[in-house]
Amino acid sequence: MSKEWKLPLLNSYLEKWAATAPDREAMIQYEDGKTVTYKQFLESVDLAALKLLDLGLEHGDRLATMLLTFPDHYVLMYACFKIGVIVAPLDLRLKENEVVRDLDKIEPKAFFFLGPTPARDFRVVGETVRDRCGYVRHLVQFSPAPQPGEIIDGAVSVAEFMDPEKIKELKEKDQRTGELARAYARITPQTPALIIYTTGTTGEPKPAVLTHENIIVQNEILARGIGLRKEEFRMVLNLPPSHVAGTSEGPMTTFYAGGTGIMLRVFDPRQTLDAAAKYRATVLGMIPTQYRMLWAVPDYNSFDLSSVKSAIYAGSAVDVPFLEQLSKMAPHFGTGLGMTENAGFATFTPPDISVEEMAGQVGRPFPDVAEVTVRAPMREDGTAGEELPDGEIGEICYHPPIVFPGYFNQPEETAKVISKEGILYTGDLGFFKNMGSYRALYLSGRRKFVIKQKGYNVFPDEVQAHIATYPGVAVAEVVGVPHSLFDEGIFAFVQPKPGVELTAAEIMEHCRNIASYKRPQHVEIWPADKMMPLTRLGKVDKIQLQNIARETAEELRQKGLWDAE
């Protein structure tokens, strides 16, 4: 297949669309209706880049943000990309100590943050960074119309940062010096562009570095999965910028494809529906939890979603009823597999397959773009294990050019996941299955969550999938808990659908239809009206569930109900 899609840099796509479709909307802000065309986007990026250079930021420097999903945030990102500054968006839910912890790992020269908001006063974060992070030389506070005294000491407002008179001076100076063009000429496809922190489910979050090429290759994979381009690509963007879903996946694939991003500052079910209806969205991309929240809006059916052509999901397994509901939202729907360290998607399901065929799989790879293999564990000398045949479970691996260069300043952590050949070990276990016209990838579970019982490897996803087939089950989650007899006991959390009553005994009886070593030692019924603990992106937090399970198992142990046959 031709590589005509592959331009060298992320900014190359803004230049392409500004030249060929200058008046097409690149971004629409749902809350206030602000629009930014591709021509305006490109011009704003250049102006912001000039200002960053004026601050003294250079190729390889880092800039951290704590901002929402809005056009100026993405203008700032692409301005950084243009001059070789690596941008690191932080999770808005981080506490002050956590912000300092994460900044210490990358030592950014600049920090851009929100001011007071209804949810939180981010000036406290700014003051903490000012007082405890001496490497941060520039603080910029995003307060749209600051009142006297609202900007913290040591910071400038974003209005002052982008002062029109100063920007005019910088433009005139650049016409004489050509500084921006020289900075841009240094950027290559392998230049680091973005740092996204891993979710930190085991240990502290790690700063994963992504290059221009990593992101562009992911953009092509996701664009193929969605199946739309140019003016037909109108995507609702409602996921956090601190995650690949809110940067390299949704927004940057939109700009890659020449589409329009319909932005919500934060996710809200009703506003998502209204934004899709009002601005005639053609693409929705969310995790299953968010779709369920949309469907639960009381007047969901009153929103006109007839423009939606493609609905994609990722992040957790779903069942056939979920897919049947999703199929009512859009004629094209699907999923894929990926991770922070490969900028997002590495696979995607083929179009027009049945919901039964889609359930359980995570798509097919695109070998002409980036190869995906299933392999034996990495060897002690750091070389990749052998590739396994179809049907055999091993570790899912990604190949260049979708492999990140590593964790920032963490070579030992990087060596644990990237082999000497440059192959990325994902920590996901799975297998390929030949479907005739394509090879489908099936996910067996995370390596770190595999349960060791009675000498067998038990994959939680398999047990969960079986429990989920029982009538009235809404969610099933399975974790391992230390067990003196079996090494690990299988602990199942089962949440019934609203209005349904389930008992642990009937779930245990249902599990007699699977191998004995896969059956739970204990089933805990989770209240139907209570959310399970979630990660920052809305996935079920397995670590928190394991902690709850251990506490419950200890109570059972005291009663003689754990550690037995």
Side-chain angles (χ1 to χ4, degrees):
M1 183 175 288
S2 168
K3 290 289 179 77
E4 291 179 2
W5 55 268
K6 196 173 184 183
L7 300 179
L9 306 175
L10 290 164
N11 300 73
S12 303
Y13 294 90
L14 297 192
E15 294 161 0
K16 172 184 177 179
W17 300 120
T20 59
D23 297 326
R24 184 181 300 153
E25 298 160 326
M27 297 177 277
I28 301 172
Q29 187 70 52
Y30 163 75
E31 289 84 355
D32 59 15
K34 177 183 177 180
T35 63
V36 179
T37 66
Y38 274 99
K39 180 182 178 184
Q40 292 168 334
F41 194 178
L42 183 63
E43 290 172 346
S44 297
V45 164
D46 284 354
L47 297 181
L50 285 173
K51 183 59 184 177
L52 293 175
L53 289 171
D54 183 57
L55 290 183
L57 271 68
E58 301 174 341
H59 191 102
D61 285 342
R62 281 76 60 205
L63 180 153
T65 69
M66 209 165 182
L67 301 173
L68 297 164
T69 299
F70 51 65
D72 286 348
H73 196 180
Y74 295 93
V75 167
L76 178 62
M77 289 186 192
Y78 277 79
C80 289
F81 300 162
K82 185 147 192 171
I83 63 173
V85 171
I86 311 170
V87 63
L90 301 185
D91 187 345
L92 292 174
R93 296 184 297 183
L94 293 179
K95 303 301 182 185
E96 287 75 25
N97 285 341
E98 294 172 315
V99 171
V100 173
R101 174 202 66 194
D102 286 352
L103 294 187
D104 281 347
K105 295 172 184 174
I106 63 169
E107 296 192 347
K109 276 190 180 178
F111 181 57
F112 286 63
F113 60 101
L114 295 168
T117 72
R120 180 180 181 185
D121 189 348
F122 286 90
R123 291 177 300 181
V124 178
V125 179
E127 289 168 342
T128 302
V129 171
R130 177 197 64 199
D131 296 341
R132 295 176 55 186
C133 302
Y135 42 78
V136 175
R137 301 178 189 174
H138 306 284
L139 293 164
V140 180
Q141 182 176 319
F142 268 72
S143 290
Q147 299 301 310
E150 186 175 323
I151 304 299
I152 68 169
D153 290 342
V156 298
S157 69
V158 68
E160 185 179 347
F161 172 74
M162 292 299 290
D163 176 65
E165 287 301 315
K166 179 63 175 177
I167 293 295
K168 182 180 178 182
E169 285 180 27
L170 293 175
K171 283 182 66 178
E172 292 172 353
K173 177 185 175 184
D174 189 63
Q175 288 173 353
R176 298 190 304 272
T177 66
E179 184 181 12
L180 180 57
R182 284 198 306 276
Y184 191 32
R186 293 184 63 189
I187 312 304
T188 73
Q190 282 71 46
T191 299
L194 190 63
I195 287 176
I196 297 292
Y197 285 84
T198 60
T199 49
T201 51
T202 55
E204 290 186 356
K206 295 186 287 289
V209 178
L210 301 173
T211 68
H212 284 254
E213 185 177 42
N214 295 152
I215 296 169
I216 289 167
V217 171
Q218 189 282 151
N219 294 156
E220 173 64 13
I221 290 170
L222 184 52
R224 290 187 189 185
I226 291 170
L228 300 171
R229 307 272 174 154
K230 301 181 181 179
E231 66 276 356
E232 290 188 336
F233 195 118
R234 296 175 65 84
M235 186 171 190
V236 175
L237 304 175
N238 58 5
L239 294 169
S242 57
H243 192 277
V244 287
T247 48
S248 55
E249 290 180 0
M252 293 175 192
T253 300
T254 299
F255 307 143
Y256 166 88
T260 300
I262 303 161
M263 297 183 170
L264 276 73
R265 292 191 178 99
V266 294
F267 170 71
D268 176 89
R270 175 174 290 280
Q271 289 183 354
T272 296
L273 292 168
D274 190 49
K278 181 177 181 180
Y279 292 108
R280 308 303 293 158
T282 59
V283 185
L284 297 176
M286 293 179 288
I287 60 172
T289 300
Q290 290 175 302
Y291 281 109
R292 293 185 182 102
M293 293 170 74
L294 261 59
W295 300 334
V297 171
D299 55 343
Y300 166 76
N301 289 322
S302 70
F303 293 94
D304 180 6
L305 303 180
S306 59
S307 61
V308 178
K309 298 179 180 179
S310 186
I312 62 176
Y313 70 93
S316 60
V318 300
D319 55 16
V320 169
F322 176 94
L323 292 173
E324 289 173 341
Q325 180 71 21
L326 192 64
S327 71
K328 297 174 185 176
M329 293 188 82
H332 176 70
F333 54 96
T335 189
L337 184 68
M339 63 192 304
T340 301
E341 290 87 342
N342 77 287
F345 284 82
T347 66
F348 208 89
T349 46
D352 303 323
I353 61 175
S354 69
V355 294
E356 289 80 11
E357 186 173 329
M358 187 177 296
Q361 66 159 280
V362 287
R364 60 179 175 178
F366 300 87
D368 64 301
V369 180
E371 190 178 356
V372 178
T373 57
V374 173
R375 312 186 80 89
M378 193 187 302
R379 299 184 179 97
E380 289 186 8
D381 65 358
T383 60
E386 69 273 15
E387 185 174 354
L388 300 178
D390 289 358
E392 190 168 332
I393 294 175
E395 188 156 347
I396 298 169
C397 295
Y398 303 146
H399 293 237
I402 208 168
V403 177
F404 80 137
Y407 301 112
F408 189 85
N409 275 352
Q410 296 186 10
E412 291 182 359
E413 292 297 321
T414 300
K416 293 177 183 177
V417 298
I418 301 179
S419 74
K420 289 181 177 177
E421 300 90 342
I423 296 172
L424 173 62
Y425 272 71
T426 66
D428 287 323
L429 299 176
F431 62 93
F432 276 110
K433 180 180 179 181
N434 192 325
M435 308 297 285
S437 59
Y438 70 98
R439 293 167 69 231
L441 184 62
Y442 283 78
L443 187 64
S444 300
R446 290 292 288 169
R447 181 179 60 199
K448 63 191 175 189
F449 293 127
V450 171
I451 301 168
K452 309 286 187 179
Q453 180 168 133
K454 303 178 184 178
Y456 294 95
N457 286 336
V458 177
F459 300 102
D461 288 35
E462 184 181 357
V463 183
Q464 290 163 191
H466 176 75
I467 294 174
T469 63
Y470 191 75
V473 171
V475 179
E477 293 290 337
V478 170
V479 297
V481 177
H483 191 285
S484 63
L485 187 61
F486 300 146
D487 293 327
E488 283 188 289
I490 300 173
F491 194 112
F493 292 94
V494 178
Q495 185 175 45
K497 293 177 179 177
V500 175
E501 289 190 12
L502 292 175
T503 66
E506 57 188 307
I507 299 299
M508 296 284 272
E509 180 63 26
H510 176 62
C511 288
R512 291 178 64 83
N513 295 317
I514 56 176
S516 60
Y517 68 88
K518 300 177 185 177
R519 297 171 192 165
Q521 271 68 53
H522 181 78
V523 172
E524 189 79 7
I525 302 298
W526 193 276
D529 59 352
K530 180 183 176 184
M531 291 284 287
M532 287 192 180
L534 303 175
T535 65
R536 72 185 189 198
L537 198 63
K539 299 179 184 180
V540 173
D541 191 328
K542 289 275 196 179
I543 299 298
Q544 282 201 47
L545 282 185
Q546 279 187 325
N547 292 335
I548 295 169
R550 286 192 181 99
E551 291 174 3
T552 304
E554 183 57 36
E555 293 173 4
L556 294 170
R557 183 176 286 117
Q558 300 303 321
K559 300 174 184 177
L561 300 175
W562 193 255
D563 298 325
E565 279 277 8

